[in-house]
Amino acid sequence: MGISIRAVSKSFGDFKAVDNLDLEIASGEFFSMLGPSGSGKTTVLRMIAGFDLPSAGQIFLFDEDVTDKAPFDRDVNTVFQDYALFPHLSVIENVEYGLRVRKINKDERRTRALEALNKVHLGDFANRKPSQLSGGQRQRVALARAIVVEPKILLLDEPLGALDLKLREKMQIELKELQRELGITFIFVTHDQDEALTLSDRIAIFNNGKIEQIGTPQELYEQPASEFVARFVGTANVFEADASQTLFGVNAKCMIRPEQVALGITGTQATVIEAIYLGSTTRLFLDLNGHQVIAEVAAGEAKAYRRGSTVKVTMSKADLVKLS
């Protein structure tokens, strides 16, 4: 096991940021911690890095108790959102910095730094200054600087948050490829569900200092354990027990995804409240016997569903997921 967090809590005064957390992360896994601001995910990352110490509990990295160890005594490195590059140093000098601190000789330093830059496709930019690079290129330099010291664990604290959408999507693919190539553990903190679903082998959903659910992207989307997870990961139709009883004959809080709501020539009549164009799809908000239901249709079909028009809705009981 790569990382083991056992009964860890972290308090800041009267505020408990992390509450009795247990978590196991496998060696070589791309693991994401996903949740809203203030949910505890970044605090957990900082405790793994050694920047914050737990108020209670223990942290093990590769079977070694590092709970009270300083950051430089842990075989981890961190990539932050703000890059934190030295503006007066060239790109390759920035990448070499961690090796210089470790007193690696100049020739080996230069060789390893160039290898790291080549892995992030920046070998031709080695002699530029950070100010001569784009945001995406500076983020790649930060990645190269983190991996050049060959950590067993790479921690990424919302590293793509400052990038525009297209660049962020491109960097997501590159991050996943880099993790596969290196074969080391990546722990990624984000509040962006699409980012987590794209990158991760497994995801932990954080809420109020606790983990609501851990699973693969598919498990979290298709089988959410709670209403919080259902609503946070993707879009969900959540029905309270009385609505589920009326619509499906099921006396429990349930969920069904918009793409599982079928529109056709048969079914229960509903009224289109709103239609929102999303590019490849259009999201429809429907009034079904006083219950709001969200459906999605292909963009080319959207003209048939205007505000105020009526549609026939079918939902299968087999697609329902009961929520705690």
Side-chain angles (χ1 to χ4, degrees):
M1 186 58 63
I3 300 162
S4 181
I5 296 174
R6 304 177 188 175
V8 164
S9 295
K10 179 63 178 179
S11 297
F12 297 97
D14 294 333
F15 174 67
K16 183 165 279 191
V18 178
D19 188 6
N20 196 34
L21 187 77
D22 290 307
L23 177 62
E24 303 284 337
I25 301 173
S27 177
E29 186 172 22
F30 199 124
F31 189 90
S32 290
M33 296 190 286
L34 174 66
S37 297
S39 60
K41 59 191 188 298
T42 297
T43 302
V44 172
L45 191 84
R46 290 180 59 82
M47 288 191 288
I48 294 171
F51 300 138
D52 289 332
L53 298 181
S55 304
Q58 293 176 290
I59 298 174
F60 291 82
L61 304 183
F62 300 97
D63 298 322
E64 179 187 3
D65 187 347
V66 299
T67 308
D68 298 316
K69 287 196 171 186
F72 51 80
D73 286 329
R74 306 181 186 208
D75 203 354
V76 305
N77 217 337
T78 307
V79 178
F80 300 99
Q81 182 177 333
D82 61 1
Y83 319 136
L85 302 178
F86 298 112
H88 62 288
L89 299 180
S90 68
V91 164
I92 198 162
E93 288 169 339
N94 266 281
V95 177
E96 287 179 338
Y97 182 78
L99 299 174
R100 192 167 69 185
V101 170
R102 288 165 173 78
K103 303 189 185 306
I104 304 298
N105 72 68
K106 184 177 180 180
D107 289 342
E108 183 180 349
R109 238 178 22 229
R110 186 56 52 108
T111 298
R112 286 172 59 177
L114 192 54
E115 287 174 353
L117 282 171
N118 285 330
K119 285 178 181 175
V120 297
H121 314 295
L122 282 181
D124 293 337
F125 295 77
N127 294 317
R128 294 194 186 185
K129 293 289 178 64
S131 61
Q132 297 174 295
L133 304 180
S134 68
Q137 289 167 339
R138 289 197 294 272
Q139 188 56 273
R140 289 192 187 96
V141 176
L143 278 169
R145 186 178 59 184
I147 66 175
V148 74
V149 296
E150 300 176 348
K152 290 183 179 178
I153 300 166
L154 188 63
L155 308 175
L156 301 111
D157 187 9
E158 303 201 39
L160 311 183
L163 306 179
D164 62 65
L165 177 61
K166 286 296 180 185
L167 185 53
R168 194 160 67 242
E169 290 174 345
K170 186 173 186 289
M171 285 296 297
Q172 287 169 12
I173 296 170
E174 292 185 4
L175 259 184
K176 188 64 179 174
E177 290 176 347
L178 181 63
Q179 192 265 341
R180 288 195 182 108
E181 180 184 347
L182 296 174
I184 65 175
T185 307
F186 275 34
I187 303 179
F188 189 88
V189 162
T190 182
H191 61 269
D192 185 320
Q193 53 159 305
D194 291 335
E195 204 164 74
L197 293 173
T198 298
L199 289 168
S200 312
D201 298 318
R202 287 191 307 147
I203 303 168
I205 307 294
F206 278 73
N207 185 30
N208 293 326
K210 294 178 177 290
I211 293 176
E212 291 263 341
Q213 187 176 354
I214 298 176
T216 65
Q218 184 175 355
E219 288 168 347
L220 294 175
Y221 186 81
E222 296 181 0
Q223 295 294 324
S226 66
E227 180 178 353
F228 179 85
V229 176
R231 293 188 184 279
F232 199 81
V233 180
T235 302
N237 291 295
V238 176
F239 303 108
E240 297 296 332
D242 57 345
S244 295
Q245 181 68 51
T246 300
L247 295 171
F248 306 101
V250 177
N251 187 27
K253 182 181 286 188
C254 294
M255 177 219 74
I256 193 168
R257 295 293 184 186
E259 62 271 20
Q260 295 167 324
V261 178
L263 306 180
I265 59 174
T266 62
T268 305
Q269 184 168 296
T271 303
V272 179
I273 304 169
E274 188 61 84
I276 299 177
Y277 179 73
L278 299 175
S280 60
T281 64
T282 293
R283 183 168 296 163
L284 302 176
F285 292 82
L286 311 172
D287 182 348
L288 179 66
N289 296 331
H291 304 289
Q292 179 177 284
V293 175
I294 304 171
E296 286 191 359
V297 296
E301 303 173 18
K303 292 180 181 179
Y305 305 105
R306 299 183 182 278
R307 283 183 61 185
S309 63
T310 58
V311 297
K312 297 287 188 178
V313 174
T314 302
M315 294 182 287
S316 172
K317 186 176 176 178
D319 291 327
L320 284 182
V321 176
K322 291 184 180 180
L323 304 174
S324 59

